[in-house]
Amino acid sequence: RKIFRFDTRISKVTPDTLYFSEKTGFQKIVPVKIPLYVTTSPGFDYKQPVISPNYITIWGDTSIIAGIDTIYTQPLTLNNLSENVNSNISFIRPESNVYTSATSAHVFIEVARLVEQTITLPVNDVRATPGEMVNIYPSAVRVRFTSMQNTLDQGDTTLFQASIDSRKINRRTKKC
């Protein structure tokens, strides 16, 4: 029992020799990376690819495993995308005696049409001096930008600003 490190009862052994095998060496969890080369059709863009699994377990000889910090897949090249992509990609084993908990990774790339958005922003003075009045004309500006369809949250536009620095006004022309 001490030799096997588990409770057992041997009733009969045939042939007269037993071989016990277990995983030896070292194991660790490493991130998965996909060499990804993507271009989209005009008027389209893509979101950050979703990779599954993000991490896998590798095992093998301690000296080899110690030098591995990432497992890569085969490269994936996609051109002129205009629709979503789902793909399974095989891992590249760094050495023949390095083993992985999975044989491939799944990648999902969401592709969407670019749409033009317009918002109106007030123009603010970033260095307003107390007691000094500055007339800003125009008092608001329209900003036009593109974003992926169905991905723009109106809360994202709160980060947009239009501003002037009234300390940089040319006193002769009265313009910034």
Side-chain angles (χ1 to χ4, degrees), residues 2 7-8 30 32 35 41 44 48 54 66 71-72 80 87 89-90 96 98-99 115 119-120 124 147 157-158 171:
K2 289 181 182 179
D7 290 338
T8 184
V30 294
V32 171
S41 295
F44 289 87
Q48 181 72 29
N54 290 332
I71 287 290
Y72 290 94
N80 296 319
S87 184
I89 309 161
S90 299
S96 61
V98 171
Y99 304 96
V115 292
I119 60 171
T120 302
N124 299 310
S147 67
T157 62
T158 60
R171 299 294 175 198

Side-chain angles (χ1 to χ4, degrees), residues 52-168:
S52 178
N54 290 332
Y55 294 87
I56 63 168
T57 302
I58 61 171
W59 66 89
D61 184 70
T62 305
S63 63
I64 296 171
I65 297 299
I68 300 172
D69 61 356
T70 304
I71 287 290
Y72 290 94
T73 66
Q74 297 293 332
L76 180 61
T77 301
L78 302 165
N79 294 313
N80 296 319
L81 289 182
S82 60
E83 56 187 39
N84 296 342
V85 172
N86 275 301
S87 184
N88 287 319
I89 309 161
S90 299
F91 289 120
I92 299 171
R93 286 180 30 195
E95 299 275 342
S96 61
N97 54 353
V98 171
Y99 304 96
T100 60
S101 60
T103 58
S104 65
H106 178 263
V107 63
F108 172 71
I109 303 171
E110 183 178 347
V111 178
R113 185 174 293 283
L114 290 173
V115 292
E116 191 172 274
Q117 306 277 343
T118 303
I119 60 171
T120 302
L121 300 171
V123 178
N124 299 310
D125 186 357
V126 293
R127 306 241 195 241
T129 307
E132 184 178 29
M133 187 172 147
V134 176
N135 289 327
I136 301 171
Y137 182 80
S139 60
V141 293
R142 288 178 49 168
V143 176
R144 188 173 23 195
F145 61 95
T146 57
S147 67
M148 288 178 59
Q149 189 172 10
N150 301 326
T151 61
L152 179 69
D153 181 6
Q154 286 305 106
D156 293 340
T157 62
T158 60
L159 300 174
F160 288 28
Q161 293 182 16
S163 58
I164 64 158
D165 185 350
S166 60
R167 287 200 244 165
K168 294 185 178 180

